[in-house]
Amino acid sequence: MEENNQTAVPEFLFLGITDNLHQKIILFTIFLFVYLVTLGGNLGMITLIWDPRLHTSMYSFLSLLSFVDVFSSSSTALKMQCDIFAENKAISFVGCAAQMWFFGLFVTTNYFILSVMVYDRYTAICKPLLYILIMSQRVCVQFVIGPYVLAAIYITTHTTSTFCLPFCAPNTINHFFCHVSPLLSLACADTWINNRVSLWSYFIHDNKSRLTCKVQVPWKAEKELLT
């Protein structure tokens, strides 16, 4: 019976940022302004890149980066804005898992896309004659799909291992959105495995992204040249 009480957590409560009304008004105004600027800037960038003259790999990656930035900001900012003046800053168990998954997906994808953009510019500057061959349409499609696949594997591992843990009362998260570290502090079980999963998943995905940029693409380009 005690074990069932530990695992049956219907919702979590956010601790919030502050309880002072004047500070809440100031923070709400600042956060709303920053969110609207972020949203408007990224949507404007995506709209401009729709121009057929800008349909190159560099601008395609930049458009994808703006798309990811919009959703990573929206996954936490909207809930946080609603909770600033709310008395009950609650989020359901499933909603917390979904927020953590989507936020982690888009933030991790953002990092991978930045790595891809670095390699794209490196190839354009250092190997201009082979740029079109190396950054072919097939490679660009792989570089678009790859970040999402790697990010999905990464965050699914974290989300599954975190929400399979039993949680104890109090169920108050010392944060303003669902994140791994505050949630692990609420767990009733040993989180040693979760910490090891975090380290190993970071190591694997970090090195896999580097190998993708340094080995796989040049090898494909050389193979196409030989054939």
Side-chain angles (χ1 to χ4, degrees), residues 30-101:
I30 294 174
F31 290 152
L32 181 61
F33 174 76
V34 172
Y35 175 72
L36 292 177
V37 170
T38 302
L39 187 65
N42 285 304
L43 292 178
M45 182 71 69
I46 294 173
T47 302
L48 289 175
I49 295 176
W50 277 354
D51 190 333
R53 293 173 297 180
L54 299 179
H55 287 178
T56 61
S57 60
M58 180 184 69
Y59 291 107
S60 297
F61 294 141
L62 189 60
S63 177
L64 183 61
L65 189 67
S66 297
F67 173 82
V68 169
D69 195 23
V70 168
F71 282 92
S72 63
S73 302
S74 300
S75 62
T76 58
L78 296 178
K79 175 63 176 173
M80 181 185 65
Q81 293 288 95
C82 295
D83 287 344
I84 288 181
F85 296 105
E87 293 294 334
N88 184 21
K89 302 177 179 63
I91 185 171
S92 65
F93 185 90
V94 176
C96 186
Q99 185 187 60
M100 177 178 163
W101 191 87

Side-chain angles (χ1 to χ4, degrees), residues 133-134 136 138-139 219-227:
L133 178 61
I134 295 176
S136 62
R138 184 182 65 179
V139 173
W219 179 81
K220 291 179 181 178
E222 292 177 4
K223 181 178 180 181
E224 291 181 6
L225 283 174
L226 294 174
T227 56

Side-chain angles (χ1 to χ4, degrees), residues 10 50 52 63 67 72 78 83-84 109 111 113 124 134 156 165 167 173 186 196 201 204 207 224:
W50 277 354
S63 177
F67 173 82
S72 63
L78 296 178
D83 287 344
I84 288 181
T109 303
Y111 293 143
I113 294 174
I134 295 176
T156 300
L165 293 172
F167 294 97
I173 300 176
L186 302 179
R196 299 286 78 77
S201 60
I204 292 172
N207 283 275
E224 291 181 6

